[in-house]
Amino acid sequence: MNHTDQDRTERELAEALAALAGGVRTAPDAYRTARGEWLRRERRRRLVLAVLITVVFALATLIGLWVLNEAPADPGVIFSGLPGAQVDTR
């Protein structure tokens, strides 16, 4: 392989790459429009999901507070006396 073969190979490769690059086209407007719509739908989905999570959390908190509010205020007796002692249930 001599010097002229390398020059010829480089020239042919450069021509082939230039022809290939010339065939590449920019993205059409339809692609940009579809991508924009997809991004808007994705943002909307995320917003709906965030609102849904917030509503569920708020409802769970309110239900928990309501249940705690309905509990009796006086302390209950867990046990009294010694083991085996009789408990008066009158």
PDB file of all heavy atoms in Angstrom, residues 56-71:
ATOM      1  N   VAL A  56     -55.643  12.286  48.982  1.00  0.00           N
ATOM      2  CA  VAL A  56     -55.674  11.053  49.777  1.00  0.00           C
ATOM      3  C   VAL A  56     -54.994  11.271  51.129  1.00  0.00           C
ATOM      4  O   VAL A  56     -55.499  10.838  52.172  1.00  0.00           O
ATOM      5  CB  VAL A  56     -55.025   9.888  49.002  1.00  0.00           C
ATOM      6  CG1 VAL A  56     -54.783   8.689  49.897  1.00  0.00           C
ATOM      7  CG2 VAL A  56     -55.893   9.510  47.815  1.00  0.00           C
ATOM      8  N   PHE A  57     -53.876  11.954  51.143  1.00  0.00           N
ATOM      9  CA  PHE A  57     -53.175  12.229  52.396  1.00  0.00           C
ATOM     10  C   PHE A  57     -54.027  13.099  53.318  1.00  0.00           C
ATOM     11  O   PHE A  57     -54.117  12.845  54.524  1.00  0.00           O
ATOM     12  CB  PHE A  57     -51.825  12.904  52.110  1.00  0.00           C
ATOM     13  CG  PHE A  57     -51.033  13.210  53.339  1.00  0.00           C
ATOM     14  CD1 PHE A  57     -50.359  12.212  54.007  1.00  0.00           C
ATOM     15  CD2 PHE A  57     -50.970  14.510  53.843  1.00  0.00           C
ATOM     16  CE1 PHE A  57     -49.625  12.487  55.151  1.00  0.00           C
ATOM     17  CE2 PHE A  57     -50.240  14.785  54.985  1.00  0.00           C
ATOM     18  CZ  PHE A  57     -49.568  13.773  55.637  1.00  0.00           C
ATOM     19  N   ALA A  58     -54.663  14.129  52.753  1.00  0.00           N
ATOM     20  CA  ALA A  58     -55.514  15.014  53.564  1.00  0.00           C
ATOM     21  C   ALA A  58     -56.701  14.244  54.134  1.00  0.00           C
ATOM     22  O   ALA A  58     -57.055  14.415  55.313  1.00  0.00           O
ATOM     23  CB  ALA A  58     -55.985  16.192  52.725  1.00  0.00           C
ATOM     24  N   LEU A  59     -57.327  13.397  53.329  1.00  0.00           N
ATOM     25  CA  LEU A  59     -58.457  12.598  53.817  1.00  0.00           C
ATOM     26  C   LEU A  59     -58.017  11.645  54.924  1.00  0.00           C
ATOM     27  O   LEU A  59     -58.718  11.495  55.936  1.00  0.00           O
ATOM     28  CB  LEU A  59     -59.098  11.823  52.673  1.00  0.00           C
ATOM     29  CG  LEU A  59     -60.016  12.626  51.753  1.00  0.00           C
ATOM     30  CD1 LEU A  59     -60.479  11.772  50.589  1.00  0.00           C
ATOM     31  CD2 LEU A  59     -61.202  13.163  52.526  1.00  0.00           C
ATOM     32  N   ALA A  60     -56.880  10.992  54.745  1.00  0.00           N
ATOM     33  CA  ALA A  60     -56.381  10.077  55.772  1.00  0.00           C
ATOM     34  C   ALA A  60     -56.098  10.832  57.067  1.00  0.00           C
ATOM     35  O   ALA A  60     -56.398  10.345  58.163  1.00  0.00           O
ATOM     36  CB  ALA A  60     -55.128   9.364  55.284  1.00  0.00           C
ATOM     37  N   THR A  61     -55.544  12.025  56.965  1.00  0.00           N
ATOM     38  CA  THR A  61     -55.261  12.836  58.146  1.00  0.00           C
ATOM     39  C   THR A  61     -56.557  13.244  58.844  1.00  0.00           C
ATOM     40  O   THR A  61     -56.674  13.140  60.070  1.00  0.00           O
ATOM     41  CB  THR A  61     -54.450  14.089  57.759  1.00  0.00           C
ATOM     42  OG1 THR A  61     -53.244  13.668  57.120  1.00  0.00           O
ATOM     43  CG2 THR A  61     -54.124  14.937  58.968  1.00  0.00           C
ATOM     44  N   LEU A  62     -57.537  13.697  58.069  1.00  0.00           N
ATOM     45  CA  LEU A  62     -58.813  14.104  58.664  1.00  0.00           C
ATOM     46  C   LEU A  62     -59.530  12.927  59.316  1.00  0.00           C
ATOM     47  O   LEU A  62     -60.089  13.063  60.415  1.00  0.00           O
ATOM     48  CB  LEU A  62     -59.696  14.742  57.595  1.00  0.00           C
ATOM     49  CG  LEU A  62     -59.233  16.118  57.103  1.00  0.00           C
ATOM     50  CD1 LEU A  62     -60.100  16.588  55.948  1.00  0.00           C
ATOM     51  CD2 LEU A  62     -59.256  17.122  58.235  1.00  0.00           C
ATOM     52  N   ILE A  63     -59.533  11.783  58.685  1.00  0.00           N
ATOM     53  CA  ILE A  63     -60.163  10.594  59.272  1.00  0.00           C
ATOM     54  C   ILE A  63     -59.442  10.201  60.558  1.00  0.00           C
ATOM     55  O   ILE A  63     -60.078   9.867  61.559  1.00  0.00           O
ATOM     56  CB  ILE A  63     -60.199   9.439  58.254  1.00  0.00           C
ATOM     57  CG1 ILE A  63     -61.190   9.767  57.135  1.00  0.00           C
ATOM     58  CG2 ILE A  63     -60.567   8.124  58.924  1.00  0.00           C
ATOM     59  CD1 ILE A  63     -61.142   8.814  55.965  1.00  0.00           C
ATOM     60  N   GLY A  64     -58.130  10.245  60.548  1.00  0.00           N
ATOM     61  CA  GLY A  64     -57.363   9.928  61.755  1.00  0.00           C
ATOM     62  C   GLY A  64     -57.660  10.889  62.891  1.00  0.00           C
ATOM     63  O   GLY A  64     -57.839  10.481  64.042  1.00  0.00           O
ATOM     64  N   LEU A  65     -57.741  12.180  62.584  1.00  0.00           N
ATOM     65  CA  LEU A  65     -58.068  13.161  63.625  1.00  0.00           C
ATOM     66  C   LEU A  65     -59.485  12.963  64.144  1.00  0.00           C
ATOM     67  O   LEU A  65     -59.748  13.100  65.345  1.00  0.00           O
ATOM     68  CB  LEU A  65     -57.884  14.578  63.081  1.00  0.00           C
ATOM     69  CG  LEU A  65     -56.436  15.014  62.846  1.00  0.00           C
ATOM     70  CD1 LEU A  65     -56.391  16.369  62.166  1.00  0.00           C
ATOM     71  CD2 LEU A  65     -55.674  15.041  64.156  1.00  0.00           C
ATOM     72  N   TRP A  66     -60.419  12.638  63.266  1.00  0.00           N
ATOM     73  CA  TRP A  66     -61.799  12.396  63.682  1.00  0.00           C
ATOM     74  C   TRP A  66     -61.871  11.176  64.604  1.00  0.00           C
ATOM     75  O   TRP A  66     -62.545  11.212  65.621  1.00  0.00           O
ATOM     76  CB  TRP A  66     -62.683  12.191  62.450  1.00  0.00           C
ATOM     77  CG  TRP A  66     -64.104  11.881  62.804  1.00  0.00           C
ATOM     78  CD1 TRP A  66     -65.033  12.750  63.281  1.00  0.00           C
ATOM     79  CD2 TRP A  66     -64.730  10.610  62.722  1.00  0.00           C
ATOM     80  NE1 TRP A  66     -66.208  12.089  63.495  1.00  0.00           N
ATOM     81  CE2 TRP A  66     -66.060  10.776  63.167  1.00  0.00           C
ATOM     82  CE3 TRP A  66     -64.306   9.350  62.327  1.00  0.00           C
ATOM     83  CZ2 TRP A  66     -66.952   9.714  63.211  1.00  0.00           C
ATOM     84  CZ3 TRP A  66     -65.205   8.302  62.371  1.00  0.00           C
ATOM     85  CH2 TRP A  66     -66.505   8.490  62.809  1.00  0.00           C
ATOM     86  N   VAL A  67     -61.162  10.103  64.245  1.00  0.00           N
ATOM     87  CA  VAL A  67     -61.160   8.899  65.080  1.00  0.00           C
ATOM     88  C   VAL A  67     -60.553   9.203  66.444  1.00  0.00           C
ATOM     89  O   VAL A  67     -61.072   8.775  67.484  1.00  0.00           O
ATOM     90  CB  VAL A  67     -60.396   7.753  64.374  1.00  0.00           C
ATOM     91  CG1 VAL A  67     -60.094   6.615  65.332  1.00  0.00           C
ATOM     92  CG2 VAL A  67     -61.195   7.251  63.185  1.00  0.00           C
ATOM     93  N   LEU A  68     -59.467   9.954  66.479  1.00  0.00           N
ATOM     94  CA  LEU A  68     -58.859  10.318  67.760  1.00  0.00           C
ATOM     95  C   LEU A  68     -59.781  11.206  68.587  1.00  0.00           C
ATOM     96  O   LEU A  68     -59.810  11.117  69.808  1.00  0.00           O
ATOM     97  CB  LEU A  68     -57.529  11.019  67.536  1.00  0.00           C
ATOM     98  CG  LEU A  68     -56.372  10.135  67.064  1.00  0.00           C
ATOM     99  CD1 LEU A  68     -55.153  10.989  66.740  1.00  0.00           C
ATOM    100  CD2 LEU A  68     -56.040   9.091  68.105  1.00  0.00           C
ATOM    101  N   ASN A  69     -60.545  12.054  67.938  1.00  0.00           N
ATOM    102  CA  ASN A  69     -61.464  12.934  68.642  1.00  0.00           C
ATOM    103  C   ASN A  69     -62.625  12.153  69.238  1.00  0.00           C
ATOM    104  O   ASN A  69     -63.191  12.552  70.256  1.00  0.00           O
ATOM    105  CB  ASN A  69     -61.981  14.017  67.695  1.00  0.00           C
ATOM    106  CG  ASN A  69     -62.689  15.114  68.430  1.00  0.00           C
ATOM    107  OD1 ASN A  69     -62.311  15.463  69.549  1.00  0.00           O
ATOM    108  ND2 ASN A  69     -63.722  15.672  67.821  1.00  0.00           N
ATOM    109  N   GLU A  70     -63.016  11.042  68.646  1.00  0.00           N
ATOM    110  CA  GLU A  70     -64.122  10.231  69.133  1.00  0.00           C
ATOM    111  C   GLU A  70     -63.713   9.304  70.280  1.00  0.00           C
ATOM    112  O   GLU A  70     -64.575   8.707  70.914  1.00  0.00           O
ATOM    113  CB  GLU A  70     -64.702   9.388  67.990  1.00  0.00           C
ATOM    114  CG  GLU A  70     -65.356  10.216  66.884  1.00  0.00           C
ATOM    115  CD  GLU A  70     -66.559  10.991  67.374  1.00  0.00           C
ATOM    116  OE1 GLU A  70     -67.370  10.414  68.121  1.00  0.00           O
ATOM    117  OE2 GLU A  70     -66.669  12.179  67.016  1.00  0.00           O
ATOM    118  N   ALA A  71     -62.454   9.173  70.545  1.00  0.00           N
ATOM    119  CA  ALA A  71     -61.987   8.289  71.620  1.00  0.00           C
ATOM    120  C   ALA A  71     -62.368   8.891  72.970  1.00  0.00           C
ATOM    121  O   ALA A  71     -62.438  10.113  73.117  1.00  0.00           O
ATOM    122  CB  ALA A  71     -60.478   8.114  71.535  1.00  0.00           C
TER     123      ALA A  71
END
